[in-house]
């Protein structure tokens, strides 16, 4: 569930601790961004981006990038938020007292963002950076609480409970933060020991949140209580799941609505499951569309601001040149200016058209993926629910969980980063498929081999090898797998061999291997399947590359 602590960012970035003096002077654009933050985040992002690209005050720039990251994270653009936070850190001085609170905020947000991307180890390290930089008790409690949640998500309940206990020994003055710590502590104790009686603490936290009218806190409490009562009292679990759904709808939190609907599908009578499933399907499709549109919009806003800045600089240079032009060529100069303006307008129109075309193509591609990955699967499941007299809830939940993860993959789709240590990445990929029954041998995978290989080819090779290994695990029953890499003249040779069952005589390529063949063809390579071996399978791939350096 998504925790929203925007007040923490505001408090930290305004440098509110008593020992710190604020040295920045907020600009009109910065103040305008703050005023729009709650109601028009897209417009706020525009003004913060103007400050970030136009100001000369490094702290003000860092604060603006921090705000931009919060807006991106709330819209589900976690990779974009991470980029903004890392940019913010570049403008901060680790030793400057006036920069410490913004550093705390950046590291806390990096921790939350990493947790949303399931990178809990990185999340914990970022929280450590935030904790050691703040002297404010409330801010430290928030960061420690966040860190404990990451430990809990990793399954390290002992460490999480130790943090919660230390916080409860000296509870924060803020009642809402105390309720959050208490509820999380009770939930984690129950996860560690299913016999632990967590109801009293969970209900105490719920009552505090009701008294303080903390709707986000109520949302979390209802989720914890529904999970706790699922096995003990299904009726109570259903009641709290329904309460969570009501609050999540009032807060307009799509992610929490999806979680509540998943609980209701599991806990509801058979005749109510279909209506909850239909709501889940509609809401999930809407979330993917909205988040992809938001990512595109943030990129477009940054593009426009950079473009306007470049245009302004160019116009300033033109004005300087105008001052030194003699009066005798005024007419010729005016004609040149008119031609330039005409050309500029046409160029701007063309760039805008190209940008809009790119956005439409991206949206079409995303819509197709949502249709292929999610819609078809949901439709088949819906048909099964409609025509079956008895419904296996566990099977439905397994399918829903799988579709949910696939839809998140589509939502978070980014240009794939090629690691510097590509040799290590390939080794890690292949070794992940080794186990007690399957040995994986790698030959020729060294850094010199990859030195002359482009990122595009590396990306396709990684996807190709992943497809080979998945097919091996699913179908071949192989005990030994060999993957060999080599340079031959101007070709990169990749050979895959296993001692599995090989392809049957009636074998036809599925979508995975067909796509792999298309990828290799797209980069000028060739792929050969050798199924004439007495046992197993051999695949040879040759790809043209630059001569080995």
């Amino acid at each position: 569930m998504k925790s929203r602590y925007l007040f923490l960012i505001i408090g930290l970035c305004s440098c509110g601790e008593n020992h710190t003096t604020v040295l920045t002077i907020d600009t009109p654009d910065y103040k305008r961004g703050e005023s729009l933050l709650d109601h028009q985040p897209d417009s706020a992002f525009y003004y913060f981006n103007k400050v970030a690209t136009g100001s000369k005050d490094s702290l003000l720039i860092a604060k603006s990038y921090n705000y931009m990251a919060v807006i991106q994270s709330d819209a589900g653009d976690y990779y974009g938020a991470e980029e903004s936070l890392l940019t913010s850190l570049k403008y901060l001085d680790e030793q400057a007292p006036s920069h410490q609170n913004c550093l705390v905020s950046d590291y806390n947000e990096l921790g939350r963002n990493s947790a949303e991307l399931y990178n809990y180890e990185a999340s914990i390290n970022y929280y450590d950076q935030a904790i050691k930089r703040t002297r404010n008790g409330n801010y430290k409690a928030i960061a420690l609480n966040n860190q404990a949640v990451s430990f809990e998500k990793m399954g390290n309940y002992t460490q999480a409970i130790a943090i919660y206990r230390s916080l409860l020994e000296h509870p924060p003055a803020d009642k809402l933060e105390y309720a959050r710590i208490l509820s999380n502590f009770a939930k984690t104790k129950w996860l560690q020991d299913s016999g632990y009686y967590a109801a009293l603490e969970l209900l105490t936290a719920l009552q505090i949140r009701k008294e303080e009218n903390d709707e986000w806190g109520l949302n979390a409490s209802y989720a914890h209580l529904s999970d706790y009562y699922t096995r003990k009292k299904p009726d109570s679990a259903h009641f709290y799941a329904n309460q969570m759904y009501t609050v999540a709808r009032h807060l307009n939190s799509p992610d929490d609505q999806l979680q509540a609907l998943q609980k209701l599908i599991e806990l509801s009578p058979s005749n109510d499951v279909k209506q909850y499933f239909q709501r889940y399907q509609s809401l999930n499709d809407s979330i993917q569309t909205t988040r992809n549109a938001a990512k595109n919009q943030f990129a477009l806003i940054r593009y426009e601001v950079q473009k306007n800045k470049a245009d302004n600089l160019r116009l300033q240079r033109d004005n300087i040149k105008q001052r030194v032009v003699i009066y005798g060529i005024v007419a010729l100069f005016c004609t040149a200016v008119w031609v330039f303006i005409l050309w500029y307008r046409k160029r701007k129109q063309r760039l805008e058209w190209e940008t809009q075309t790119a956005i439409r193509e991206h949206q079409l591609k995303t819509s197709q993926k949502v249709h292929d990955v999610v819609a078809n699967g949901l439709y088949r499941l819906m048909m099964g629910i409609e025509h079956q007299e008895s419904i296996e809830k566990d099977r439905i939940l397994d399918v829903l969980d799988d579709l949910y993860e696939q839809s998140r993959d589509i939502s978070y789709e980014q240009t794939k980063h090629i690691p510097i240590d590509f040799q290590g990445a390939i080794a890690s990929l292949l070794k992940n498929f080794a186990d007690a029954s399957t040995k994986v041998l790698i030959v020729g995978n060294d850094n010199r081999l990859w030195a002359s290989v482009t990122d595009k080819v590396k990306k396709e090779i990684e996807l190709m090898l992943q497809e080979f290994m998945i097919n091996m695990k699913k179908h071949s029953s192989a005990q030994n797998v060999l993957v060999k890499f080599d340079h031959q003249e101007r070709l990169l040779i990749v050979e895959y061999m296993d001692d599995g069952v090989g392809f049957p005589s009636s074998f036809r390529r599925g979508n995975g291997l067909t796509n792999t063949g298309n990828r290799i063809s797209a980069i000028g390579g060739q792929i050969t399947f050798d199924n004439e071996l007495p046992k197993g399978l051999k695949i040879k791939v040759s790809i043209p590359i630059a001569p080995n350096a």
Side-chain angles (χ1 to χ4, degrees):
M1 233 176 312
K2 189 175 183 182
S3 300
R4 297 176 61 101
Y5 280 90
L6 193 57
F7 70 88
L8 172 62
I9 304 303
I10 296 172
L12 291 174
C13 274
S14 63
C15 301
E17 292 185 5
N18 294 332
H19 68 280
T20 305
T21 302
V22 181
L23 301 178
T24 57
I25 300 176
D26 295 346
T27 66
D29 283 336
Y30 185 86
K31 292 179 179 178
R32 182 64 173 162
E34 286 187 316
S35 69
L36 295 169
L37 195 60
D38 291 332
H39 308 294
Q40 294 177 277
D42 292 348
S43 298
F45 185 93
Y46 170 80
Y47 284 107
F48 287 130
N49 194 48
K50 283 186 66 177
V51 176
T53 57
S55 176
K56 295 182 180 179
D57 187 326
S58 62
L59 181 55
L60 191 63
I61 293 172
K63 291 162 62 178
S64 298
Y65 274 115
N66 187 293
Y67 271 125
M68 290 160 65
V70 172
I71 295 169
Q72 289 170 294
S73 179
D74 286 346
D77 184 9
Y78 301 118
Y79 290 103
E82 184 176 55
E83 180 183 356
S84 294
L85 289 167
L86 293 175
T87 304
S88 176
L89 289 175
K90 292 179 182 178
Y91 287 92
L92 294 172
D93 183 350
E94 295 276 347
Q95 306 303 320
S98 61
H99 289 206
Q100 294 306 303
N101 289 333
C102 209
L103 282 165
V104 173
S105 180
D106 279 348
Y107 284 120
N108 184 71
E109 276 301 300
L110 280 166
R112 291 182 59 247
N113 209 66
S114 297
E116 292 288 354
L117 293 171
Y118 307 109
N119 189 357
Y120 298 117
E121 290 187 3
S123 173
I124 290 167
N125 290 333
Y126 283 131
Y127 288 135
D128 277 335
Q129 294 296 322
I131 292 165
K132 74 180 185 181
R133 283 177 168 79
T134 182
R135 300 178 185 175
N136 185 295
N138 286 334
Y139 296 160
K140 183 172 290 187
I142 291 170
L144 282 167
N145 200 338
N146 290 342
Q147 188 180 58
V149 171
S150 290
F151 276 117
E152 181 249 301
K153 295 295 185 183
M154 290 179 65
N156 190 344
Y157 303 130
T158 301
Q159 186 64 39
I161 291 170
I163 294 175
Y164 290 134
R165 285 191 188 281
S166 68
L167 291 171
L168 291 173
E169 288 176 359
H170 304 284
D174 189 324
K175 291 183 178 180
L176 297 183
E177 188 58 24
Y178 171 76
R180 180 176 178 237
I181 296 169
L182 184 63
S183 186
N184 287 342
F185 169 75
K187 174 191 173 184
T188 308
K189 284 283 290 182
W190 169 68
L191 288 174
Q192 185 184 53
D193 177 8
S194 60
Y196 179 73
Y197 183 71
L200 180 61
E201 292 156 326
L202 291 174
L203 291 171
T204 300
L206 175 65
Q207 184 60 34
I208 293 173
R209 286 162 163 172
K210 285 182 177 180
E211 292 172 357
E212 298 296 320
N213 196 28
D214 176 20
E215 291 188 309
W216 285 104
L218 288 173
N219 184 69
S221 281
Y222 290 140
H224 292 173
L225 285 163
S226 179
D227 292 339
Y228 176 71
Y229 282 119
T230 293
R231 295 184 182 275
K232 301 175 184 294
K233 297 180 180 179
D235 289 345
S236 297
H238 182 275
F239 169 78
Y240 287 117
N242 195 55
Q243 292 293 98
M244 177 188 178
Y245 182 58
T246 301
V247 173
R249 291 184 66 185
H250 183 260
L251 292 170
N252 194 27
S253 173
D255 287 330
D256 290 322
Q257 290 181 56
L258 284 179
Q259 289 195 28
L261 285 169
Q262 284 185 306
K263 296 178 190 298
L264 289 170
I265 290 171
E266 179 182 1
L267 297 165
S268 298
S270 298
N271 57 346
D272 290 336
V273 169
K274 186 174 181 179
Q275 63 169 322
Y276 290 128
F277 175 76
Q278 289 173 336
R279 294 183 195 173
Y280 181 97
Q281 177 188 16
S282 176
L283 179 60
N284 189 59
D285 289 344
S286 176
I287 289 174
Q288 308 315 319
T289 301
T290 301
R291 286 183 172 173
N292 282 306
K295 293 175 188 177
N296 292 333
Q297 187 168 5
F298 293 143
L300 184 60
I301 289 172
R302 281 183 162 172
Y303 166 79
E304 289 293 343
V305 171
Q306 289 289 347
K307 180 177 178 296
N308 290 336
K309 181 180 179 181
D311 290 342
N312 289 334
L313 291 173
R314 184 170 58 253
L315 290 174
Q316 290 175 11
R317 290 194 296 268
D318 290 341
N319 289 333
I320 293 173
K321 291 179 180 179
Q322 289 178 21
R323 296 189 185 99
V324 300
V325 175
I326 60 174
Y327 290 105
I329 58 170
V330 170
L332 180 61
F333 178 78
C334 290
T335 302
V337 170
W338 178 82
V339 171
F340 170 78
I341 292 174
L342 181 62
W343 168 83
Y344 171 74
R345 287 179 179 175
K346 289 183 178 180
R347 177 178 178 273
K348 183 178 180 180
Q349 291 173 354
R350 176 175 58 81
L351 289 175
E352 289 176 349
W353 179 84
E354 291 174 353
T355 301
Q356 293 300 324
T357 300
I359 292 173
R360 286 194 294 269
E361 290 175 354
H362 180 75
Q363 290 174 337
L364 177 59
K365 178 181 176 183
T366 302
S367 298
Q368 290 172 341
K369 288 186 177 180
V370 170
H371 176 271
D372 293 339
V373 175
V374 182
N376 289 342
L378 289 174
Y379 180 79
R380 290 195 300 271
L381 183 58
M382 185 174 66
M383 292 297 99
I385 294 173
E386 182 175 357
H387 297 298
Q388 290 181 13
E389 295 182 0
S390 62
I391 300 173
E392 298 178 10
K393 290 185 179 179
D394 290 339
R395 184 181 65 82
I396 293 174
L397 290 173
D398 288 342
V399 175
L400 279 174
D401 183 67
D402 183 60
L403 292 174
Y404 178 71
E405 291 300 325
Q406 292 183 59
S407 68
R408 284 175 65 91
D409 290 341
I410 295 171
S411 175
Y412 303 150
E413 183 178 63
Q414 299 286 324
T415 301
K416 186 172 181 62
H417 172 67
I418 303 300
I420 296 175
D421 183 18
F422 187 69
Q423 177 268 338
I426 289 296
S428 176
L429 167 65
L430 297 175
K431 289 177 181 177
N432 282 340
F433 291 87
D435 55 29
S437 62
T438 304
K439 296 181 179 179
V440 178
L441 179 63
I442 307 169
V443 177
N445 178 31
D446 58 54
N447 289 323
R448 290 187 60 190
L449 175 83
W450 301 112
S452 59
V453 180
T454 65
D455 284 354
K456 180 178 180 181
V457 172
K458 288 179 182 178
K459 175 182 176 183
E460 299 304 333
I461 289 173
E462 184 177 7
L463 293 172
M464 175 193 74
L465 291 175
Q466 179 174 272
E467 183 64 28
F468 289 170
M469 300 303 286
I470 289 174
N471 274 282
M472 178 273 293
K473 273 295 183 185
K474 286 184 176 180
H475 308 298
S476 76
S477 302
Q479 296 180 348
N480 296 282
V481 177
L482 170 65
V483 182
K484 180 179 179 182
F485 305 88
D486 193 16
H487 271 156
Q488 295 181 10
E489 296 181 352
R490 296 192 178 186
L491 294 176
L492 172 66
I493 305 298
V494 181
E495 293 182 286
Y496 166 92
M497 288 173 280
D498 68 41
D499 59 357
V501 298
F503 290 148
S505 57
S506 59
F507 170 77
R508 295 179 64 185
R509 294 188 191 180
N511 288 337
L513 289 177
T514 299
N515 289 338
T516 298
N518 292 337
R519 287 194 186 102
I520 299 305
S521 297
I523 57 176
Q526 292 183 341
I527 182 169
T528 304
F529 294 84
D530 185 358
N531 198 33
E532 300 300 324
L533 300 174
K535 182 181 180 182
L537 173 66
K538 179 177 180 181
I539 304 174
K540 181 177 180 181
V541 179
S542 58
I543 303 169
I545 58 171
N548 192 13

